[in-house]
Amino acid sequence: MRRRSVVEKIGEASEKWGFFQVINHGIQLEVLERMLQGIRAFHEQDSEAKKRFYTRDFSSDTYYASNFDLYTSQGASWRDTVGCYTAPDPPRLEDLPAVCGEIMMEFSKHMKALGELLFELLSEALGLNSNHLKDIDCAKSQVMFCQYYPPCPQPNLTLGLSKHTDFSFLTVLLQDNIGGLQVLRDQTWIDVPPVPGALVVNIGDLLQLITNDKFISAEHRVVANGSTEPRISAPCFFSTFMKANPHVYGPIKELLSEENPAKYRELTINEFADIFRSKTIITINSKFLVHPSSPTPADQSPRHSLYLSNLDDTVGARVLTPSVYFYRSSNDQTKNRESLVLKRLQDALAEVLVLYYPLSGRLREVENGKLEVFFGAEQGALMVSASSSMGLDYLGDLTVPNPAWLPLIFHYPKEEAYKILEMPLLIVQVTFFTCGGFSLGIRLCHCICDGFGAMQFLASWAATAKNGRLIADPEPVWDREVFKPRNPPMVKYTHDEYLAVEERSNLTNSLWETKPLQKCYRINKEFQCRVKSIAQGQDSSLMCSSFDAMAAHIWKSWVKALDVKPLEYNLRLTFSVNVRTRLEALKLREGFYGNVVCLACATSSVNNVMNDTLSKTTRLVQEARVRVTEDYLRSMVDYVEVKRPKRLEFGGKLMITQWTRFEMYETADFGWGKPVYAGPIDLRPTPQVCVLLPQGGVESGGDQSMVVCLCLPPSAVHKFTRLLSLND
Ligand SMILES: O=C(O)CCC(=O)C(=O)O
Ligand SMILES: [Fe+2]
């Protein structure tokens, strides 16, 4: 009886407020007192004693700093924090501050027990089995902060802690008697008054997500401490924060129904953290398949299938290449603008899919693991409509790619890299922002088209949307049989780009096992010319393009900054070459949109890449580029026929991808003008790839700059920046 009424009250508070206080929780008052005293004692020591704990890195086991968001927030908060992860792996006593380590350990055990009880009561309040939330590990991870809000001489000029929601399932907070915590309800700040012996409990973002918004993660803050005594508090977060956690969380199935469909997709905690940090909370509103608007050859025979060439069917092409396009709001203030935008995109897509009907099919493997396109009733391209609770301005700099935009492209929860069988070949997520702007997150299967083919398709879709009638100039042609292998296959080159090379250098370790940073460098035309003339100045017989010289310069800077070892190890630089213009015997009809690219590959030892002149390395790049001829392409087709490589090889490689040749901005006017940004989002999943991007956004000045975008371990950033800008 008593339990039932407690459950009811907790449920009601979690729905309405997201905050409540608990008394009679069984933790002795004396323990709470000792905890508050311990925290105070730590913070009031000399800086010398505290210094050893200082770090701003949330992924380290213990943490001590003032203002975790010092470099990103608009103002500094009047508060210091020391803390640690306390579960599932409790800290060792000797790693904690001597003055408060013991009580921190003791207190965190009480918190864990109380947290488990609270998750039982919350499960019951949701009408679930008592253990439901515990069983999905909501109580498993725990982070404890010990906070000190010093007296602030001018408390009306700042805050103790600015407005936020907690990135946790649940937070349990011990506060002293000074007060200052406030929760936002109906646009009004309401005090959470100190109650002696009570603990404050609040719902965090993750619990809001999995309860599909039944429980709310309320915004709260702490005003700056205007008293003469410090304010002490100890929040205990049930959350993994920055520690990796592969678990995916989405709305609990038992809570969903036809009237209450899932408002969120399933996310790993890390994906959720990215969204949380970028503050782009995205809600998926609907998902639907788009089919060609009139019959296609695929409708005439149920067994219709399409041949893909070996250029289309390489492991590297088994991806849905992601890109995002941002559009600012137009002055069109029509009330149902969102549904009009969506309808225009959808109608035009259905039209162009008549000609580009292979994009409405799926891929399957036939003999030897070779791919083909097949068709069925449940297929089509996938469109997703989503909305963000933010304006585009919250996304930061819209001229360079940002991994935090990942939620703007749709992913199924259980996708695996390079597994594309049965996946839609085109996935489009339209996300509407509160400012009236929107983004198009596009994933297009690389087996169906290369970059040039993709541009041709997008241009047709955009022109059709803009003009309200089908425009396809040129008309697409399939013709993949042009690139059939020879019989018997004739492999005439070594195709080093595909060789499996054992990684014997420190590259893999530096790039895949640290958390690399994604960095972007704007390189103007003048600088590109300068690099080319340095290379040619060293060797007047060198006939190179500015791409050759820039690629060599990036390669050298990268190898030096990463301090690659051992020196005699062989490195490879690969880059894609468009062979369309180099075909002689093979004839391609205009409108061909399949893959006609080969990877060129330059090879050189670490020592030579580092120490050779720029002209010598440029020559390697130039030679690799001109080696790619029709003959080379036919040899590659035959190589793939014979070997059918199944793994993407990264050993010793830097892979440059050129998007600079694509008219991404010009072709993407669907009737709402040119996009402000068009390009990739997140390179970190393949940190050996460097992308060269055009600088074409309407807000970028359009000065023919390019953006070099790549991943670097934090320790190499400074050196790479210096080398790339020729400042060494
Ligand atoms: O110190 C408090 O009272 C609240 C702290 C808090 O909200 C937090 O650290 O997330
Ligand atoms: Fe908080």
Side-chain angles (χ1 to χ4, degrees), residues 56 157 200 248 325 376 401 593:
R56 313 196 71 82
L157 295 184
V200 180
V248 279
Y325 293 75
Y593 60 107

Side-chain angles (χ1 to χ4, degrees), residues 32 77 197 204 293 395 398 579 594 642:
L32 306 184
S77 295
S293 63
L395 297 183
L398 287 185
V579 199
V642 177

Side-chain angles (χ1 to χ4, degrees), residues 350-594:
E351 289 282 310
V352 293
L353 280 181
V354 177
L355 296 176
Y356 286 93
Y357 75 94
L359 281 171
S360 68
R362 297 289 182 271
L363 294 175
R364 70 178 167 211
E365 276 179 344
V366 286
E367 79 286 354
N368 272 329
K370 172 115 184 61
L371 289 180
E372 69 173 21
V373 188
F374 74 107
F375 298 87
E378 298 302 308
Q379 301 178 351
L382 180 69
M383 263 185 95
V384 177
S385 161
S387 50
S388 163
S389 57
M390 303 291 162
L392 271 178
D393 285 343
Y394 282 85
L395 297 183
D397 183 357
L398 287 185
T399 62
V400 292
N402 180 344
W405 302 338
L406 211 51
L408 303 179
I409 51 171
F410 180 79
H411 283 93
Y412 291 99
K414 300 214 162 61
E415 283 184 30
E416 280 179 55
Y418 310 111
K419 298 246 162 82
I420 41 147
L421 302 185
E422 310 277 334
M423 289 276 285
L425 302 176
L426 171 63
I427 299 177
V428 180
Q429 176 176 325
V430 191
T431 307
F432 296 100
F433 292 85
T434 51
C435 57
F438 64 94
S439 66
L440 284 185
I442 299 181
R443 302 176 70 196
L444 189 53
C445 184
H446 208 321
C447 298
I448 306 297
C449 42
D450 63 8
F452 290 95
M455 290 303 124
Q456 181 186 310
F457 162 72
L458 287 171
S460 176
W461 179 20
T464 301
K466 187 170 177 175
N467 294 285
R469 65 188 168 84
L470 179 61
I471 294 183
D473 180 23
E475 266 205 31
V477 292
W478 188 255
D479 284 3
R480 308 289 162 112
E481 290 79 4
V482 170
F483 296 114
K484 280 228 154 136
R486 291 170 287 202
N487 190 7
M490 283 186 285
V491 180
K492 296 212 279 186
Y493 300 81
T494 54
H495 294 290
D496 291 348
E497 61 278 20
Y498 289 107
L499 281 191
V501 172
E502 197 192 328
E503 178 67 275
R504 283 190 300 108
S505 75
N506 57 343
L507 267 178
T508 306
N509 196 30
S510 336
L511 286 166
W512 296 76
E513 278 152 38
T514 61
K515 249 196 196 158
L517 296 171
Q518 179 168 313
K519 299 295 292 179
C520 291
Y521 299 88
R522 207 160 286 152
I523 311 274
N524 63 25
K525 194 85 201 150
E526 196 188 331
F527 189 89
Q528 295 169 43
C529 293
R530 188 167 144 216
V531 172
K532 181 177 165 185
S533 67
I534 292 173
Q536 288 181 325
Q538 292 163 345
D539 173 357
S540 55
S541 71
L542 179 64
M543 299 281 289
C544 69
S545 66
S546 61
F547 167 80
D548 300 334
M550 273 309 298
H553 179 52
I554 294 168
W555 193 20
K556 288 171 80 70
S557 307
W558 187 77
V559 173
K560 285 189 204 168
L562 288 175
D563 199 13
V564 182
K565 294 207 172 78
L567 290 178
E568 68 285 357
Y569 183 66
N570 262 343
L571 297 177
R572 292 176 288 178
L573 171 74
T574 67
F575 51 94
S576 41
V577 173
N578 173 20
V579 199
R580 281 175 178 72
T581 52
R582 302 182 186 194
L583 295 181
E584 288 164 2
L586 298 177
K587 294 278 176 280
L588 273 192
R589 286 196 285 163
E590 201 197 354
F592 183 91
Y593 60 107

